[in-house]
Amino acid sequence: MVEEAPPGGPAPAAREHRWGKRLALWAAVLTLANVLADVAIGSPMMVLPQLLEQFDTDQAAWLNASAMLAGAIWSPLLAKGSDIFGKRRVLIGTLLLACAGALVCLVAPNVWIFLAGRFLQGAAFAAVFITVALARQICSPGAAMAMVGLVTSGSSVVGIIEPFLMQPVIEVFGHRSVFGMAALLAAAAALCVRSFIPESPIRGTGRVDVVGAFLLGGGLGAVLAYISLGSDFGWLSAGMVALLAAGAAALAGWALLALRTDEPIIDIRALTRPILLTLLALVLAAGSFRSMLQLTGIIAQVPPELGLGYGLGEGEAVAVLLAAPNLGIVVGGVCAGWLAGRFGPAPPLFGGIALGAVATFAMLAGVSVLPLAVVCGTLVGAAAGAIGASGYNLATGIEAPERQGTTAGLVSVVLALGSVVFNFAGGEVLKATRVPETFAAGAPVSTAAGVHLYVALAGVLFLLAAVPAAMLVRGRTAAPAGPGAAPRRGASAVGG
């Protein structure tokens, strides 16, 4: 069932149709909310050595992955809650949870309380898909698709400027200041959302399946933790095997519950062919572009003088190489959102995957040629931005309005799953081809054959992702003809 939002939220007819001052303000506020997710998850890595020393631990993997894994646990609950209780309300609650988590991390006296704070901070992971679902309901379809492209990729600008902004703060106030800044940012974002963003006009009815949410989230978190941390703690160690078994059992329990309950957290029976094709394309494409972004960070630190057959590390060129993908993400996401408003989201999804495939295979030569590597990195970033924005637009456009929050959450989880699994697989390729007693930037390096194999596998993933994306393009029906076009209720961007 569907019900209109109570007084205080706009009626469906009041949705924004054209870009103007109010829509620009909404886009800025929602982008600010998404910036929090990047800061909450990424900024502690700037002070990882200091955190390890502070807590007298060598468990860098847990400190690194804890917030993202917590995000997987939070996502199903917050996604379903946003459909029932209102997306703005849940977004504000999410930002306040992340603020509380940052404050806990700021004052944590030991590593266990710190990890509890990171668990709360992980709620910021949900900000991205809640802002997507909210944009879909407070704007007309064409304007919403453009806004989704902006809010999902605009936060990548922070990846370019964050180190330059945060380093002086850390030098003056100490390494814990990253959590103070995250708390201030979360509070500011919550206040701005409360002050300027209207509530979503359409809500579902019913209840939140809390047991199902924690089974699904806990199962995903445990499996992702096994994949992320297994190489550090031992794949067959008792703790890791128990973690994997617990995750598998939780996911099996969730699947059985979803098939038996009337209102599951995710209705498996309602996953249509277009949604499944979209999720398949996204998990493969996300794995490919994330693994390529990971590789860029690695080879950027390898000096060509080592004579390995690859390497780009040389002063300021490294900073350019690392910043280029973030710039590409912004351009790709914004362009994909604009194109989706005119031609539907399936073509820009396929275009982003095709662009990523071309850039990835070109990187076979780019691993030893800095100008080509910068171009390829920018294009892979543009592909990542286009794929993310188009994936959200496509999946939420297929779903009924009262389930768009849940579907956007599912897209976020699939993107994270692809990133973790294929980043691990790529890391294992590099680990298996290491050059004995050869190091760059303090870390062991791999052979040229290993690096080229890594790139080739990422390219193959893009080609595999292109198959379901091409099926979506062929099957698409009535996409919006322009920013003011409104499809009929329940109309899809692709055929079912």
Side-chain angles (χ1 to χ4, degrees), residues 58-87:
D58 60 355
Q59 303 302 331
W62 279 115
L63 299 185
N64 184 9
S66 52
M68 189 194 71
L69 299 176
I73 298 173
W74 279 109
S75 291
L77 183 64
L78 294 174
K80 184 68 173 180
S82 72
D83 282 334
I84 294 176
F85 302 113
K87 292 162 181 67

Side-chain angles (χ1 to χ4, degrees), residues 219 222-227 235-236 238-251:
V223 172
L224 290 175
Y226 178 81
I227 296 170
W235 297 107
L236 298 179
M240 286 292 102
V241 171
L243 187 65
L244 178 62
L251 290 175

Side-chain angles (χ1 to χ4, degrees), residues 45 55 129 194 247 278 317 341 360:
M45 296 308 99
F55 297 121
F129 63 77
R194 176 67 180 82
T278 301
T360 297

Side-chain angles (χ1 to χ4, degrees), residues 63-162:
L63 299 185
N64 184 9
S66 52
M68 189 194 71
L69 299 176
I73 298 173
W74 279 109
S75 291
L77 183 64
L78 294 174
K80 184 68 173 180
S82 72
D83 282 334
I84 294 176
F85 302 113
K87 292 162 181 67
R88 185 186 71 159
R89 179 181 296 177
V90 173
L91 177 58
I92 293 171
T94 296
L95 296 171
L96 293 178
L97 272 174
C99 178
L103 292 175
V104 171
C105 291
L106 178 65
V107 300
N110 58 61
V111 69
W112 297 110
I113 294 179
F114 177 83
L115 291 175
R118 292 292 279 167
F119 177 79
L120 293 176
Q121 258 196 308
F125 183 81
V128 177
F129 63 77
I130 296 176
T131 58
V132 167
L134 185 53
R136 296 286 309 194
Q137 294 192 359
I138 61 177
C139 304
S140 64
M145 289 184 185
M147 184 182 284
V148 167
L150 181 60
V151 302
T152 57
S153 60
S155 59
S156 292
V157 174
V158 176
I160 302 174
I161 63 175
E162 182 185 8

Side-chain angles (χ1 to χ4, degrees), residues 3 30 54 86 103 117-118 193 230 258 266 283 292 363 389 422-423 427:
E3 64 178 9
L30 294 179
Q54 173 189 339
L103 292 175
R118 292 292 279 167
V193 171
I266 294 177
V283 73
M292 284 303 298
M363 196 65 181
F422 294 111
N423 270 357

